[in-house]
Amino acid sequence: IMSKLFHVALLAGSSMLGISSLTLCQERQKAPQMKRELPTRSMNLDALRRTEYDILIIGGGAVGAGCALDAATRGLKTALVEADDFGSGTSSKSSKLLHGGLRDLDYAISKLDLAAFRRVRISLEERSNIANMAPHLNQPVPIMLPVHHWWQLPSYWLKLHIYHLMAPGTTRGFQYISTPEALDIFPMLPRNIYGAFVFYEGQHDDARLCLAVILTASRYGADVCNHMKVTELLRNKQEQVVGAKAVDQLTGKTYKIRAKMVINATGPLSDSICRLEDVNAEPHCSPTWASHLVLPPFYCPEEVGLFDPCTRSGSAIYFLPWLGHTLMGTSDELRESSAGPQPTEMEVQYLLDGIKSYINPNFDVRRCDVLAVWGGYKPLPTESEELKDSLLKNHLISLGKGNMLSIVGGTWSSFRIIAEEAIDVAIAMGGLQPLRPNSITASSCKLDGADGWTPNMFIRLVQDFGLERDVAKHLTDTYGSNACKVAVCAHPSGTWPITGKRLHAEFPYIEAEVRQGVRDYACTLVDMVARRLRVAFLNVHVAEEILPKVASVMANELHWSKKQKALEIEEAKKFLSTQMGQSPSNESSHVNIPIKMSVEQVQKYAAHFKSLDPDDSGFVSINQCCAAMKAFGVKEVPVDLMHNVLRDIDCHSQGKVNLYEFLLLMSAIVHGDTAYLRYAKLRMDQKFHVSSTNSKRQLISVERSGGGL
């Protein structure tokens, strides 16, 4: 059986990759030099107005950025426009893994599906290619695969062995660890497992990788511009698409951009652009939503993740260490894109319930542990005959009535090869004459910041600039060899650290990065805190706290007026409250226990809360609460009792409570109402359970989702 499986896997690889690998070997051309320093956004706008391009790409996500890089390195005149910020959609809201597709391999073996084998083979090869393109933005991460039944041991071993053999070059293998070892590494695991396997995947910062691809394409000559929304397609007398009309979202000015070929790479929004070409165009994209939680680091070991496709609830679950925090998620589900990019409180509770039903029952899972919530739409191609005829069956490149190319589907692990395929088609259909007929992005292209980077480069920044170690490590792992340019622009502090003024004590981001972010095309405050600095994706409370400081630096760089600065802060707060899980309307949905106190008592404790919060932050610490209770006659607060009450009131933030929670806390402990809190909370949980059970979650099958996490 094993020999047959290996044979099928080799056939899958050779049918798709044999030709491409041979071509790469034959066409290993010397990489062209980057043409220029990074132009400003205004320079790119001037170029869009006066240049006729070979290729215009609509969409600045992973696939669109990959198309721009592939076209520019071949010597084609290339332009790219994005309605929002680069990578602002699905491309910055992934699982942060460059996975090879272990679930795809499982499906391929069980169904003997040749297309699934091809997807695994290509994903593994592309994982290696992307790591070579940007070694500073990629690193291997060990992932634990728990074994729940003894008969899973040979099954998992076989799949992981094939997975390892299919990976190109020398890759890290896998190993089995016993139950005590697994529990020692991951104490949250249930005790009844039969050990675990540890294998390796690639991890990356998706938004930064997308930006690095964009910056590299720009340095190779592509004219790129974010916040440019396409409102109309330009046509010639034969009704062929020859460009697009785009509106600058920052100024309202309209630009007519002419090109011989137009590529629609807008991901989940691709059907809307197709309808600009043909109002009767058939839909090609099925919107698929996936939510993610960001939790404190104690939910996951610092260096090891966990993936379990066989939980008791039937859905997959994963915990991944990411930028000093824990990223958690489960399976995809169908959801209309008209619902918007806002995660709902029901989704948050669904994910939290998944954790509660999976981990050791002695471990408390609280809503207040959620530091950020976000989600994105995966652009899966609609099932059709055209998709069935494709080799990989996870993406579709189609030609419309007006000769516009549209790309639907793909993952971070396949963005480069999809871009290569799309540019090949564009060259053939548009009769273009590139300087290099074949793609060089896999063989000899390094992304901006990759040349000269080494894993220990941060030591040089500590020694030469007096940066703190974690700040220096963050800069080199984010900007690569360009980290020195950022460090040079850092302001001296006068004390240790000599340079590098932090934006927040808990994060390694410094003010110099804001100025660098403006040079890297950040135009709004949201661009900065969400994608240049990933703080909005890590902790919405901290993100909101640093908004005034970041806005002040950006105002100096971009010459904002006081009115514009205030508007940017307001828009950023709105973004955090809706798309990052900090919605005020959501607070009442999970904390809705009536306060059993008289009006006089409420007024008394509310006044005391205000005296404990002179800065009007809206929060007081748990220590302040204990001091308040002693002032009201409670001599000593039992630690276990405090823990149970805090769990029941579901406090808003770790170590802090707001006014409502303060009143509940005082009511529970001063008046001995802890039993009432537990009863009210139980009723709320039952009510939610009924509503969530009645709501239908349309989960996506493995063969449709592409096998990723």
Side-chain angles (χ1 to χ4, degrees):
I1 294 174
M2 286 181 63
S3 63
K4 287 183 178 180
L5 291 173
F6 290 144
H7 183 62
V8 173
L10 289 173
L11 284 175
S14 61
S15 61
M16 177 69 183
L17 290 171
I19 299 175
S20 60
S21 300
L22 180 63
T23 304
L24 283 175
C25 292
Q26 294 174 342
E27 298 291 340
R28 282 191 179 275
Q29 309 164 64
K30 186 178 179 182
Q33 295 298 312
M34 293 186 185
K35 295 181 179 180
R36 57 185 181 180
E37 288 297 315
L38 195 67
T40 64
R41 185 174 185 273
S42 60
M43 292 167 64
N44 286 333
L45 285 172
D46 289 340
L48 292 178
R49 193 191 301 276
R50 54 182 167 77
T51 308
E52 182 175 352
Y53 295 96
D54 293 314
I55 292 178
L56 167 64
I57 299 150
I58 306 173
V63 173
C67 288
L69 178 62
D70 196 286
T73 51
R74 297 198 202 195
L76 294 168
K77 288 184 181 178
T78 308
L80 180 146
V81 292
E82 161 62 41
D84 198 340
D85 186 27
F86 303 123
S88 58
T90 309
S91 298
S92 63
K93 299 171 181 177
S94 71
S95 64
K96 320 304 175 194
L97 283 184
L98 290 168
H99 58 82
L102 187 60
R103 293 175 69 208
D104 240 344
L105 180 61
D106 185 42
Y107 181 81
I109 293 173
S110 61
K111 303 292 185 182
L112 288 179
D113 189 291
L114 198 61
F117 271 115
R118 291 192 190 101
R119 289 197 296 269
V120 176
R121 177 70 178 176
I122 287 179
S123 293
L124 288 169
E125 181 165 296
E126 285 304 302
R127 187 179 70 182
S128 176
N129 288 335
I130 297 168
N132 290 330
M133 291 171 67
H136 60 298
L137 295 174
N138 296 272
Q139 61 280 327
V141 56
I143 298 179
M144 190 181 295
L145 184 66
V147 180
H148 295 284
H149 307 282
W150 66 265
W151 48 262
Q152 289 179 324
L153 282 167
S155 174
Y156 281 173
W157 184 92
L158 174 62
K159 293 166 188 173
L160 289 171
H161 192 60
I162 296 175
Y163 197 61
H164 177 62
L165 290 176
M166 291 177 73
T170 55
T171 58
R172 299 193 184 191
F174 66 96
Q175 61 178 334
Y176 171 79
I177 58 176
S178 64
T179 300
E181 290 176 302
L183 294 176
D184 185 54
I185 295 172
F186 219 108
M188 288 169 51
L189 282 172
R191 303 296 185 199
N192 58 347
I193 61 172
Y194 289 79
F197 287 95
V198 177
F199 68 103
Y200 289 83
E201 291 284 18
Q203 190 176 49
H204 71 305
D205 184 343
D206 48 9
R208 176 55 58 173
L209 182 59
C210 185
L211 182 64
V213 177
I214 287 285
L215 297 179
T216 308
S218 181
R219 285 167 59 80
Y220 272 112
D223 296 319
V224 300
C225 199
N226 53 354
H227 299 283
M228 290 284 288
K229 184 177 182 179
V230 170
T231 58
E232 185 181 335
L233 297 176
L234 304 179
R235 302 172 186 271
N236 59 16
K237 294 180 180 179
Q238 290 76 37
E239 289 299 309
Q240 300 295 293
V241 175
V242 292
K245 185 183 292 185
V247 177
D248 187 345
Q249 301 295 93
L250 305 179
T251 63
K253 292 183 180 179
T254 300
Y255 294 78
K256 289 184 177 180
I257 310 166
R258 302 194 175 276
K260 297 174 184 175
M261 286 295 297
V262 175
I263 296 179
N264 169 20
T266 52
L269 303 177
S270 58
D271 284 342
S272 61
I273 300 297
C274 286
R275 284 191 288 271
L276 293 179
E277 179 190 26
D278 178 12
V279 292
N280 298 316
E282 291 290 328
H284 287 94
C285 184
S286 299
T288 308
W289 175 263
S291 298
H292 307 268
L293 301 183
V294 176
L295 301 163
F298 54 75
Y299 273 87
C300 181
E302 186 178 354
E303 301 295 338
V304 181
L306 181 140
F307 169 58
D308 193 349
C310 304
T311 63
R312 280 170 284 182
S313 63
S315 59
I317 191 171
Y318 64 85
F319 298 86
L320 297 171
W322 182 59
L323 299 181
H325 294 70
T326 299
L327 180 63
M328 180 265 171
T330 55
S331 304
D332 304 330
E333 62 170 315
L334 288 173
R335 171 170 157 179
E336 291 299 327
S337 57
S338 58
Q342 293 85 9
T344 65
E345 185 62 27
M346 185 169 287
E347 290 174 73
V348 176
Q349 295 296 340
Y350 176 81
L351 292 174
L352 289 177
D353 280 357
I355 301 176
K356 291 175 184 177
S357 64
Y358 175 75
I359 66 171
N360 191 317
N362 296 324
F363 192 90
D364 280 341
V365 179
R366 297 181 179 179
R367 175 60 175 85
C368 64
D369 288 338
V370 178
L371 303 177
V373 187
W374 38 270
Y377 290 97
K378 187 185 293 185
L380 296 183
T382 302
E383 294 194 51
S384 61
E385 290 300 321
E386 199 175 1
L387 182 64
K388 290 179 181 178
D389 293 338
S390 67
L391 286 172
L392 299 181
K393 298 183 181 178
N394 69 340
H395 72 275
L396 189 64
I397 300 175
S398 58
L399 193 68
K401 281 186 176 181
N403 209 41
M404 180 179 73
L405 280 180
S406 292
I407 307 170
V408 179
T411 64
W412 263 114
S413 299
S414 60
F415 87 96
R416 191 211 62 81
I417 200 165
I418 292 175
E420 177 183 336
E421 183 183 344
I423 299 303
D424 284 341
V425 175
I427 290 172
M429 300 308 299
L432 308 180
Q433 300 295 322
L435 295 177
R436 299 168 194 86
N438 297 302
S439 174
I440 64 162
T441 53
S443 59
S444 52
C445 181
K446 294 284 188 181
L447 296 189
D448 193 47
D451 272 333
W453 175 85
T454 62
N456 293 323
M457 181 178 282
F458 72 94
I459 298 174
R460 177 181 168 188
L461 267 65
V462 174
Q463 294 174 332
D464 292 355
F465 297 96
L467 291 167
E468 292 179 272
R469 185 188 185 280
D470 63 330
V471 173
K473 188 77 167 65
H474 156 69
L475 291 180
T476 55
D477 290 351
T478 302
Y479 303 93
S481 56
N482 294 326
C484 291
K485 297 179 182 178
V486 181
V488 166
C489 298
H491 290 161
S493 62
T495 59
W496 180 261
I498 299 172
T499 57
K501 196 172 180 181
R502 288 180 184 256
L503 294 168
H504 193 276
E506 295 180 18
F507 289 85
Y509 306 121
I510 58 176
E511 285 188 2
E513 291 185 80
V514 180
R515 292 185 284 273
Q516 181 62 41
V518 171
R519 287 189 283 274
D520 290 344
Y521 303 130
C523 302
T524 69
L525 194 52
V526 172
D527 294 349
M528 190 64 69
V529 298
R531 289 170 290 276
R532 304 309 183 276
L533 314 172
R534 301 311 305 272
V535 64
F537 279 74
L538 296 171
N539 192 317
V540 287
H541 307 298
V542 172
E544 185 174 32
E545 191 176 328
I546 67 172
L547 286 181
K549 192 180 295 184
V550 176
S552 295
V553 180
M554 291 189 73
N556 290 333
E557 294 291 317
L558 296 171
H559 310 293
W560 287 345
S561 63
K562 287 185 178 180
K563 182 179 178 181
Q564 177 66 23
K565 178 182 172 182
L567 182 62
E568 287 290 334
I569 293 176
E570 191 64 31
E571 287 296 318
K573 287 182 177 180
K574 182 180 177 182
F575 169 81
L576 294 175
S577 68
T578 55
Q579 296 193 37
M580 294 290 114
Q582 195 195 22
S583 175
S585 61
N586 281 348
E587 282 187 30
S588 60
S589 65
H590 65 272
V591 180
N592 195 27
I593 303 170
I595 300 171
K596 292 184 67 176
M597 286 194 293
S598 66
V599 175
E600 292 77 13
Q601 288 173 321
V602 170
Q603 290 174 343
K604 173 185 174 182
Y605 294 133
H608 196 75
F609 178 90
K610 190 172 183 180
S611 69
L612 296 173
D613 183 28
D615 298 330
D616 200 26
S617 65
F619 299 97
V620 298
S621 69
I622 300 301
N623 289 337
Q624 288 174 309
C625 293
C626 292
M629 281 181 266
K630 290 180 181 179
F632 289 123
V634 180
K635 294 182 179 180
E636 186 175 350
V637 181
V639 176
D640 290 342
L641 180 61
M642 173 70 79
H643 173 81
N644 291 334
V645 172
L646 290 174
R647 178 185 59 197
D648 289 339
I649 66 173
D650 205 8
C651 62
H652 182 272
S653 181
Q654 293 170 20
K656 297 186 295 184
V657 295
N658 59 22
L659 174 59
Y660 171 74
E661 294 158 349
F662 178 79
L663 294 175
L664 278 176
L665 189 62
M666 298 303 293
S667 173
I669 293 181
V670 175
H671 299 292
D673 239 356
T674 55
Y676 168 74
L677 283 182
R678 180 62 55 88
Y679 171 76
K681 185 72 163 52
L682 180 64
R683 290 293 299 272
M684 285 180 59
D685 289 344
Q686 289 175 344
K687 183 179 179 181
F688 168 76
H689 179 73
V690 172
S691 61
S692 62
T693 303
N694 292 337
S695 62
K696 295 182 179 179
R697 294 179 60 86
Q698 296 178 281
L699 300 181
I700 302 300
S701 59
V702 175
E703 66 272 21
R704 292 284 292 124
S705 67
L709 298 187

